[in-house]
Amino acid sequence: MWQWVIVIVSGICTFASFYLTFPAFRADDSGAFLFAGFGLLFGVPFVISVIKLFSGRSTVLKRIDAQISSFFINP
């Protein structure tokens, strides 16, 4: 249940930030880098959560999940 909440909230924040990056970039505003940074900041938990949710269905995603888990446990 909580994984779906993390996926939905971080996904909305990621896509909104990246969406706002393009108009700021077209307007030559310095806020484009800020929005891109927030998009990357929220994008990492989004990608990790999606991989965790679907790792039970695919062997490739299971290996990626194991690599991510071992990276955070044994850096």
Side-chain angles (χ1 to χ4, degrees):
M1 168 71 183
W2 285 106
Q3 284 183 340
W4 282 106
V5 171
I6 292 171
V7 167
I8 291 170
V9 170
S10 64
I12 289 171
C13 292
T14 300
F15 291 123
S17 295
F18 282 135
Y19 173 76
L20 291 173
T21 300
F22 295 112
F25 182 71
R26 286 184 184 162
D28 285 333
D29 189 14
S30 62
F33 296 111
L34 178 70
F35 287 126
F38 279 128
L40 292 174
L41 180 73
F42 288 114
V44 171
F46 175 70
V47 170
I48 291 174
S49 297
V50 168
I51 289 172
K52 284 228 176 265
L53 279 175
F54 295 113
S55 66
R57 298 180 185 173
S58 172
T59 58
V60 174
L61 290 177
K62 192 176 286 187
R63 277 190 258 142
I64 293 171
D65 183 34
Q67 289 287 353
I68 291 171
S69 298
S70 67
F71 176 75
F72 285 114
I73 292 173
N74 299 321

